[in-house]
Amino acid sequence: MEVSIESLLAAARRLSTSLVCDRLYDHGAVVRAPLVNFTPGLPLAGPAFPITTDGAILPILQALDVVPPHHVLVIQDTSAGGRAVLGDIILTGARQQALGGVICLGTVRDVDEAPQIGVPLWASAASPQAAGLGRRAPQVPCDVTLGATVVRPGDWLFGDRDGLVCVEREWIRVILKAAAIKGKKERLYKERLAAGERLTELMNVRRHLEHGEPLVVEF
Amino acid sequence: MDQEHFYKEVTAFIATRANLPGEVIQPTDHLVQRGFVNSLILAELIVFVENVSGKEIDVEDFRLDSFSTIEKIYRNHVAPK
């Protein structure tokens, strides 16, 4: 059965990154790379459209020309140049094309405007100095590496204030279901807490500590 | 898909994922209580049933009890209404 990206996104947007992380099993990873969330109020979710650049802007434009809507543009700058490969104009273009976000293992600029532009933006650093147009990338999209995590075209990325998580594309439907079920259980728990029940009693903490009874971890 | 075919397919699916002989799993066995299914295999099973039935299962409307046995899965999610 084919499931539309809109349907997957609707499910994904109901999930926090930590819920997805809890249900990765072995089919994804927490992304540990030097990346700063420049739009902490904007959660990120979507299939990756990864590209590389050697410190040039042209590959980003090359990607923008073909990237499908709702995808997350993931840029690995392989140079050590430290110049911004994108700023407010490209980010505005990304919004106009309904991209799910931009992750740049490299430098960007105009970060003060990013929250108002409304596209989730993660990057390694900011600098006012722009990169040159440079040369085209040999291939877009392509596999990239963020820290120790390989991100392939179509792998899904989730990001919020807790961090970034990558889910293997073959497993996205399963992981979304598993995380949604956990989220539903956690909501029920929170309702009981809001109604006045005590967390340590719900979890049987005292009897676990004093008598070795099992902890109750329903979620 | 008819009931017999569904039972056979789902039993084979769970047996493979749980590394069990298929004959061990009966249509009325409680899949979680018998230890055949954990949270990952449950999620895979939901996707499997979606693929078989052609219908999306929304977790918000989802009752865990409707997936407690193979017989209930068929009755709640696959059998023609």
Side-chain angles (χ1 to χ4, degrees), chain A residues 3 5 9 12 72 81 89 104 106 194 206:
Chain A
V3 178
I5 186 174
L9 275 170
V72 176
I89 303 289
C104 180
R206 186 164 301 177

Side-chain angles (χ1 to χ4, degrees), chain A residues 7 25 173 177 184 187, chain B residues 39 50 56-57 60 62:
Chain A
S7 180
Y25 307 103
R173 283 178 66 193
K177 291 287 182 215
K184 193 170 169 180
R187 270 198 310 279
Chain B
S39 59
E50 284 184 336
E56 254 187 271
I57 296 172
E60 292 308 312
F62 175 74

Side-chain angles (χ1 to χ4, degrees), chain A residues 118-185:
Chain A
V119 173
L121 174 65
W122 293 65
S124 300
S127 166
Q129 190 172 31
L133 265 180
R135 295 171 302 187
R136 62 181 295 159
Q139 181 187 335
V140 296
C142 63
D143 292 3
V144 301
T145 306
L146 303 180
T149 303
V150 174
V151 180
R152 303 167 301 163
D155 286 342
W156 275 64
L157 287 154
F158 293 80
D160 59 24
R161 284 180 169 96
D162 285 344
L164 276 171
V165 155
C166 181
V167 176
E168 293 167 13
R169 61 191 178 218
E170 298 86 352
W171 286 88
I172 187 62
R173 283 178 66 193
V174 172
I175 303 300
L176 285 175
K177 291 287 182 215
I181 291 170
K182 186 172 195 285
K184 193 170 169 180
K185 286 182 182 175

Side-chain angles (χ1 to χ4, degrees), chain A residues 12-185:
Chain A
R13 286 172 182 153
R14 290 184 229 150
L15 303 171
S16 65
T17 302
S18 59
L19 264 179
V20 174
C21 186
D22 282 349
R23 285 293 178 259
L24 278 180
Y25 307 103
D26 289 324
H27 303 299
V30 174
V31 174
R32 298 189 202 280
L35 287 165
V36 173
N37 183 356
F38 283 105
T39 51
L42 299 177
L44 173 153
F49 192 91
I51 66 167
T52 60
T53 178
D54 62 349
I57 293 177
L58 185 56
I60 288 78
L61 296 173
Q62 198 179 336
L64 260 191
D65 193 41
V66 295
V67 61
H70 310 306
H71 281 59
V72 176
L73 184 57
V74 183
I75 303 158
Q76 181 184 3
D77 184 350
T78 56
S79 78
R83 295 191 180 202
V85 293
L86 68 98
D88 58 345
I89 303 289
I90 287 180
L91 209 56
T92 303
R95 182 188 65 192
Q96 191 269 330
Q97 290 177 219
L99 295 199
V102 174
I103 297 173
C104 180
L105 193 69
T107 303
V108 299
R109 70 179 190 175
D110 305 318
V111 296
D112 279 347
E113 297 179 45
Q116 286 92 324
I117 293 172
V119 173
L121 174 65
W122 293 65
S124 300
S127 166
Q129 190 172 31
L133 265 180
R135 295 171 302 187
R136 62 181 295 159
Q139 181 187 335
V140 296
C142 63
D143 292 3
V144 301
T145 306
L146 303 180
T149 303
V150 174
V151 180
R152 303 167 301 163
D155 286 342
W156 275 64
L157 287 154
F158 293 80
D160 59 24
R161 284 180 169 96
D162 285 344
L164 276 171
V165 155
C166 181
V167 176
E168 293 167 13
R169 61 191 178 218
E170 298 86 352
W171 286 88
I172 187 62
R173 283 178 66 193
V174 172
I175 303 300
L176 285 175
K177 291 287 182 215
I181 291 170
K182 186 172 195 285
K184 193 170 169 180
K185 286 182 182 175

